[in-house]
Amino acid sequence: MTIYQNLIGGEWIGSDATENINPSDTNEVVGLYADGSAEDTKNAIAAAKAAFPAWSRSGIWERHVILKKAGDEIMARKDELGALLAREEGKTLPEAIGETIRASQIFEFFAGEALRLAGEVIPSVRPNIGVEITRDPLGVIGIITPWNFPIAIPAWKIAPALCYGNTVVFKPAELVPACSWAIVDILHRAGLPKGVLNLVMGKGSVVGQAMLDSPDVSGITFTGSTGTGRRVAAASLEHNRKFQLEMGGKNPMVVLDDADLDVAVEAAANSGFFSTGQRCTASSRLIVTEGIHDKFVAALTAKLETLVVDNALKAGTHIGPVVDEKQLKTDTDYIEIGRQEGAKLAFGGELISRETPGFYLQPTLFTEATNEMRISREEIFGPVVSLIRVKDYEEALATANDTPFGLSSGIATTSLKHATHFKRNAEAGMVMVNLPTAGVDFHVPFGGRKGSSYGPREQGKYAAEFYTTVKTSYTLA
Ligand code: NDP
């Protein structure tokens, strides 16, 4: 079997490899992907450092052309790359193709941003002096990504890093190297100079750690768990390095008595269970007022009955498998915790067997949960949702905000007054009205507050805040 190698200083290298396994069919090896060492990571950082002076001064048209070419190739290959994504991560084929299209759109967006780079000219408070405010690239950016969006998250970090003139060392999650390898290959062939983008696949504890420990990495952008995020923060402070963290969520969706029941059920089913609940923006807490509670539970469980859990590549599958055995154990452990805490298992909770051996779990809904239970406070990252009954809007809002996280927050209501009040008062980076908490646009800011995120927002033009540093120049006329 071919070994997909690491790209270091423009050369494909690496002979040690790890198997990438399909969670929908654990007999299938998706491919063999290089297992990089700390030495490989140091070499990649050195290559990125050497490539930085020239790339940071490269013309904006060159950057535009390369990013545009990459976006076009990803779009042209959306079905093939989507199938690869579904095979390595387990989201359904339509979800995977949708994510691939989004990756392409992100490259298109930043291809445009490269042409829109600008600064400001401002008069000085002193006579005969001009002031210019410009943005410089940071230098070498370390990119560390999780397994749940194997192509979109790498795209939304690599595209702005390159657009603003940085060079990159990229370490994808060990579970999902295939899409990362594919987009690095596409960018390499699109004409990036040697060393501008380096790929080091391998273990977080080895490759990721070597990035954290390097004084030559000027910025680290990380998406993943809270625990690893804290390590990135501590190491970055030690090196006086800029860092950006996107971590977990325990996103609430409030359903008020006046909600359109169909809209509320669609939003809850989508954001709680699609992508197997493995989205940082998933609604894992449904907060429902008394008047609609019983109707909503009946309609949601009826909807869950119709959802097909099966092989991600099979037509008609709504929910693919859990990503791996470790995550499956986390999910089933929390289902047991929910039972012991006294929540009522209203739907699901069981493992399922399918034609192909995989990590299949029923969508699981706990009702009669409280916001104090561990299943309502800790991120599970699976298709397991707590439903909490509340008296009225005021209690719903207080419950929604009573969480260590603050990524996305939703409300289903036909009341303009409550929708407006909720948008103003939800303690979250993103607020959704009559929409799922998951599913966001690619051209606007993404990120959260409290324990969910740290540092500037990602995506859209706000991405410049992280990938550049502001310079103020004064000139005597
Ligand atoms: P992890 O934190 O385990 O891994 C994220 C990345 O960090 C992986 O590439 C991992 O490598 C790497 N890593 C692990 N250890 C180290 C280390 N010591 N130094 C540097 N890098 C390291 O998270 P998961 O990949 O398991 O993703 C799931 C979690 O991510 C969930 O908790 C979820 O909430 C969160 N998440 C948040 C998102 C957001 O936008 N807020 C989006 C997606 C996920 P390796 O794969 O080799 O372990």
Side-chain angles (χ1 to χ4, degrees), residues 145 147-148 171 174 204 209 223-225 228 247-248 280 379 381:
T145 57
W147 48 259
N148 65 336
K171 182 243 167 305
E174 215 196 348
Q209 194 61 44
T223 301
S225 63
T228 312
M247 301 173 289
C280 47
E379 185 178 56
F381 221 55

Side-chain angles (χ1 to χ4, degrees), residues 165-281:
N166 301 283
T167 56
V168 170
V169 177
F170 167 38
K171 182 243 167 305
E174 215 196 348
L175 275 179
V176 293
C179 290
S180 294
W181 189 91
I183 58 172
V184 170
D185 171 55
I186 289 169
L187 280 157
H188 178 59
R189 285 187 290 97
L192 273 182
K194 284 183 179 192
V196 171
L197 173 62
N198 302 273
L199 171 70
V200 192
M201 299 172 286
K203 291 178 187 54
S205 55
V206 177
V207 176
Q209 194 61 44
M211 283 163 69
L212 303 196
D213 293 341
S214 171
D216 291 329
V217 175
S218 310
I220 293 196
T221 175
F222 167 85
T223 301
S225 63
T226 309
T228 312
R230 287 206 183 106
R231 295 175 86 115
V232 173
S236 297
L237 288 174
E238 201 166 310
H239 291 288
N240 201 23
R241 158 206 299 149
K242 203 167 173 183
F243 61 99
Q244 174 184 58
L245 311 175
E246 287 299 341
M247 301 173 289
K250 196 71 193 175
N251 309 291
M253 163 152 293
V254 167
V255 180
L256 296 185
D257 287 354
D258 63 22
D260 177 317
L261 190 61
D262 292 341
V263 167
V265 168
E266 279 306 310
N270 176 319
S271 52
F273 303 102
F274 286 10
S275 298
T276 323
Q278 297 173 156
R279 292 184 285 187
C280 47
T281 46

Side-chain angles (χ1 to χ4, degrees), residues 249-253 280-282 285 405-410 427-432 436-438 440 447-448 452:
K250 196 71 193 175
N251 309 291
M253 163 152 293
C280 47
T281 46
R285 291 184 299 145
F405 298 104
L407 189 57
S408 183
S409 193
E427 293 168 5
M430 295 169 292
V431 183
M432 310 291 180
T437 54
V440 295
S452 290

Side-chain angles (χ1 to χ4, degrees), residues 79 140 184 197 213 282 333 364:
D79 295 336
V140 177
V184 170
L197 173 62
D213 293 341
D333 283 354
T364 300

Side-chain angles (χ1 to χ4, degrees), residues 2-289:
T2 313
I3 295 179
Y4 291 90
Q5 295 172 302
N6 285 323
L7 183 68
I8 298 174
E11 308 295 329
W12 294 106
I13 60 161
S15 49
D16 293 339
T18 304
E19 288 182 344
N20 181 0
I21 304 290
N22 179 351
S24 297
D25 180 356
T26 51
N27 291 328
E28 192 206 3
V29 177
V30 178
L32 289 178
Y33 288 85
D35 192 7
S37 64
E39 198 55 33
D40 292 333
T41 315
K42 282 186 191 153
N43 292 338
I45 294 167
K49 191 178 174 189
F52 177 70
W55 182 249
S56 64
R57 289 194 294 271
S58 60
I60 56 173
W61 182 247
E62 181 184 359
R63 296 183 211 171
H64 167 84
V65 167
I66 292 170
L67 294 172
K68 171 91 173 63
K69 222 168 158 185
D72 289 348
E73 181 171 340
I74 293 169
M75 189 63 91
R77 292 173 55 194
K78 66 181 171 30
D79 295 336
E80 170 218 335
L81 291 173
L84 182 66
L85 198 167
R87 279 168 69 215
E88 71 170 343
E89 199 266 354
K91 64 183 62 171
T92 66
L93 191 56
E95 287 173 331
I97 293 172
E99 186 184 328
T100 307
I101 292 171
R102 182 169 173 200
S104 160
Q105 290 166 326
I106 290 164
F107 277 102
E108 294 284 340
F109 178 86
F110 284 103
E113 282 300 279
L115 299 180
R116 286 189 285 268
L117 288 174
E120 287 177 84
V121 177
I122 288 181
S124 169
V125 291
R126 291 168 283 166
N128 302 324
I129 291 178
V131 181
E132 288 166 28
I133 302 170
T134 51
R135 286 185 179 275
D136 282 352
L138 288 184
V140 177
I141 300 286
I143 295 180
I144 303 177
T145 57
W147 48 259
N148 65 336
F149 282 92
I151 197 161
I153 295 181
W156 84 51
K157 293 181 187 296
I158 293 172
L162 298 177
C163 164
Y164 297 115
N166 301 283
T167 56
V168 170
V169 177
F170 167 38
K171 182 243 167 305
E174 215 196 348
L175 275 179
V176 293
C179 290
S180 294
W181 189 91
I183 58 172
V184 170
D185 171 55
I186 289 169
L187 280 157
H188 178 59
R189 285 187 290 97
L192 273 182
K194 284 183 179 192
V196 171
L197 173 62
N198 302 273
L199 171 70
V200 192
M201 299 172 286
K203 291 178 187 54
S205 55
V206 177
V207 176
Q209 194 61 44
M211 283 163 69
L212 303 196
D213 293 341
S214 171
D216 291 329
V217 175
S218 310
I220 293 196
T221 175
F222 167 85
T223 301
S225 63
T226 309
T228 312
R230 287 206 183 106
R231 295 175 86 115
V232 173
S236 297
L237 288 174
E238 201 166 310
H239 291 288
N240 201 23
R241 158 206 299 149
K242 203 167 173 183
F243 61 99
Q244 174 184 58
L245 311 175
E246 287 299 341
M247 301 173 289
K250 196 71 193 175
N251 309 291
M253 163 152 293
V254 167
V255 180
L256 296 185
D257 287 354
D258 63 22
D260 177 317
L261 190 61
D262 292 341
V263 167
V265 168
E266 279 306 310
N270 176 319
S271 52
F273 303 102
F274 286 10
S275 298
T276 323
Q278 297 173 156
R279 292 184 285 187
C280 47
T281 46
S283 293
S284 44
R285 291 184 299 145
L286 300 174
I287 300 166
V288 185
T289 49

Side-chain angles (χ1 to χ4, degrees), residues 353-381:
S353 291
R354 288 291 178 249
E355 213 173 298
T356 47
F359 308 113
Y360 300 109
L361 175 64
Q362 287 181 316
T364 300
L365 177 68
F366 280 108
T367 54
E368 310 304 334
T370 69
N371 202 42
E372 287 69 43
M373 290 176 178
R374 284 183 62 196
I375 55 164
S376 306
R377 297 208 80 75
E378 297 169 15
E379 185 178 56
I380 302 172
F381 221 55

